[in-house]
Amino acid sequence: METPVDAPMKDEHESPKWKKSIVVFVLGGPGSGKGTQCANIVKQFGYTHFSAGDLLRSEIKSGSEFGAMIQSLISQGRIVPSVITVKLLCKAMEESGNDKFLIDGFPRNEENRIEFENVAKIEPAFVLFFDCPEEELERRILNRNQGREDDNIETVKKRFKVFVDSTLPVVGYYESKGKLRKINAAKPSEEVFEAVKDLFASET
């Protein structure tokens, strides 16, 4: 019996146009400036920007059967399976009309990466990694979110630990394949984007 997990995907025998697309994964610790730089890349280079978390939230808001299932998993305190996130990404790419995509904050872990390769059957053109020391990430988050309880030093340290434990192995995997493009994200935002511009001009 078909489950709602299969709903967003088209028939496997079709060849969706996004399979010929340029996909760039964007990774970095909390506070590394991924969102700001993705917005700059969209304006300058015409990419479509997707955040896996935003797609999940959007699907829940849509009131679809698929969204209800995601909401149910989250309500039960369960992690949304990677296959669901990947299928939402594939659906969003298919519907976008573009052929160049930034996927922000994904893959968060090895399971995400393996599922993307298995379901989407495409590899990223490269992985953009915003490298920033933990001390600088802490300073940024605590400065920009003063007064927010969820951004106290203990929470920030936990978020960074999850990033190190789960996401850095993904960064290492793509580095071993020669697909990692590392940017020094400790510099001011304008300088970071100059490095990003040079990278995209040479890569695409």
Side-chain angles (χ1 to χ4, degrees):
M1 183 177 164
E2 191 176 67
T3 67
V5 174
D6 300 312
M9 289 295 287
K10 292 193 168 189
D11 187 279
E12 284 182 5
H13 299 295
E14 293 182 28
S15 182
K17 54 183 177 289
W18 47 261
K19 291 207 174 182
K20 301 180 183 71
S21 300
I22 296 169
V23 172
V24 177
F25 291 146
V26 184
L27 298 173
S32 59
K34 296 192 305 296
T36 300
Q37 297 303 332
C38 282
N40 290 337
I41 295 164
V42 167
K43 280 184 201 164
Q44 184 91 16
F45 296 100
Y47 279 70
T48 295
H49 172 217
F50 293 126
S51 152
D54 286 349
L55 286 175
L56 288 168
R57 286 186 284 275
S58 174
E59 191 68 23
I60 290 168
K61 275 187 193 170
S62 76
S64 69
E65 185 183 2
F66 201 59
M69 183 181 64
I70 295 166
Q71 179 67 67
S72 172
L73 287 168
I74 293 170
S75 301
Q76 294 166 37
R78 292 164 62 190
I79 294 169
V80 177
S82 294
V83 65
I84 292 180
T85 306
V86 170
K87 288 188 174 187
L88 282 176
L89 283 166
C90 292
K91 178 178 175 232
M93 288 192 288
E94 176 73 2
E95 292 174 351
S96 76
N98 201 351
D99 62 356
K100 300 191 296 184
F101 303 102
L102 295 174
I103 302 182
D104 171 11
F106 183 93
R108 285 187 187 277
N109 53 43
E110 282 288 279
E111 187 202 356
N112 279 175
R113 177 187 69 74
I114 292 163
E115 202 63 56
F116 189 86
E117 288 180 6
N118 289 344
V119 175
K121 294 184 168 56
I122 51 174
E123 285 197 12
F126 60 93
V127 177
L128 182 59
F129 176 49
F130 289 108
D131 192 20
C132 195
E134 182 179 4
E135 299 75 24
E136 174 63 15
L137 296 175
E138 285 176 9
R139 187 188 66 75
R140 287 181 185 179
I141 293 172
L142 294 172
N143 282 352
R144 78 184 179 193
N145 289 322
Q146 287 173 337
R148 267 180 53 176
E149 287 182 21
D150 60 334
D151 275 331
N152 58 49
I153 189 70
E154 291 79 14
T155 305
V156 173
K157 282 187 178 294
K158 278 181 194 166
R159 284 168 65 194
F160 189 77
K161 185 176 187 317
V162 169
F163 170 74
V164 169
D165 292 347
S166 298
T167 308
L168 279 188
V170 177
V171 171
Y173 170 83
Y174 284 116
E175 188 167 30
S176 74
K177 294 196 76 173
K179 284 185 174 282
L180 194 72
R181 306 293 180 267
K182 195 180 288 189
I183 299 280
N184 179 358
K187 295 180 178 179
S189 178
E190 297 78 11
E191 288 183 40
V192 173
F193 189 53
E194 287 303 314
V196 169
K197 277 197 292 191
D198 290 345
L199 172 64
F200 272 78
S202 65
E203 289 283 346
T204 54

